[in-house]
Amino acid sequence: MGKRIDIDGEVDKGVVVGVLKDFHMSSLHRPIEALAVVLAPRWEMMSIRIDSADVAGTMAFLKSKWESFEKNAPFEYEFLDESFARFYSGEQRLVSTVRLFSALALVVAALGLFGLAVSAAETRTQEIGIRKVLGASVSSIVALLSSEFVKLVVIANLFAWPVACYA
């Protein structure tokens, strides 16, 4: 505190009046970098918290105030939430892609299971016909055909649920 520092190559231009705790100024994927917050006579940037009830009116008010103080510089602004959204747009695209391919994998798996069931039913057509002639009900035939698949699905779930919970 009170130490003189160089700013823009000018020796003893600034004095340290406070030290802030480290914070991110960009994406959380990048390490925290050095930052100097300088109180300058010319305003280059301001951070203002506004109420979201009347954004258009507030922005018009800020523009009029800016123009009354600073005639040479244009009034330019951006919202912090939009700026942070740009930092993480890549992650949003990745999430969308993962969801798409997960849905595709589920559809392919369901089609494979359906094909396996149709194949099993087709290879056992004679057995099903004999059972039907001998008086077997439709539910017992369906249970006969699906019991193999239900066992496989239960075994797959026994492995999948713990892995999914861990992940």
Side-chain angles (χ1 to χ4, degrees):
M1 302 293 286
K3 181 179 178 184
R4 296 200 166 276
I5 58 171
D6 299 346
I7 298 176
D8 295 331
E10 296 181 29
V11 180
D12 292 337
K13 175 98 186 229
V15 177
V16 177
V17 294
V19 178
L20 297 172
K21 185 177 177 183
D22 287 344
F23 63 95
H24 287 276
M25 282 297 295
S26 62
S27 171
L28 294 177
H29 297 294
R30 297 179 57 191
I32 296 175
E33 298 171 345
L35 173 72
V37 181
V38 179
L39 179 62
R42 184 176 181 324
W43 299 337
E44 294 179 14
M45 184 184 344
M46 278 190 259
S47 295
I48 301 173
R49 176 181 276 178
I50 64 172
D51 188 11
S52 60
D54 183 24
V55 175
T58 304
M59 296 312 295
F61 172 76
L62 289 174
K63 183 177 181 179
S64 69
K65 287 298 180 187
W66 177 266
E67 289 170 350
S68 71
F69 288 111
E70 185 65 59
K71 305 246 187 273
N72 298 330
F75 178 69
E76 297 174 349
Y77 64 91
E78 69 176 322
F79 293 103
L80 195 58
D81 58 341
E82 294 171 359
S83 176
F84 280 129
R86 279 194 308 272
F87 287 149
Y88 301 106
S89 62
E91 281 82 359
Q92 293 296 334
R93 284 192 304 271
L94 178 66
V95 166
S96 298
T97 304
V98 167
R99 284 183 181 161
L100 173 71
F101 282 111
S102 296
L104 210 57
L106 286 173
V107 168
V108 168
L111 287 174
L113 193 58
F114 177 72
L116 196 57
V118 168
S119 173
E122 195 170 303
T123 57
R124 298 171 90 176
T125 304
Q126 290 179 346
E127 179 187 351
I128 293 170
I130 291 170
R131 287 180 183 270
K132 191 67 177 157
V133 167
L134 293 176
S137 65
V138 175
S139 61
S140 68
I141 293 174
V142 169
L144 174 72
L145 291 174
S146 65
S147 64
E148 298 172 13
F149 302 112
V150 169
K151 287 177 191 172
L152 291 175
V153 168
V154 167
I155 291 171
N157 275 299
L158 288 176
F159 287 106
W161 279 107
V163 171
C165 286
Y166 179 76

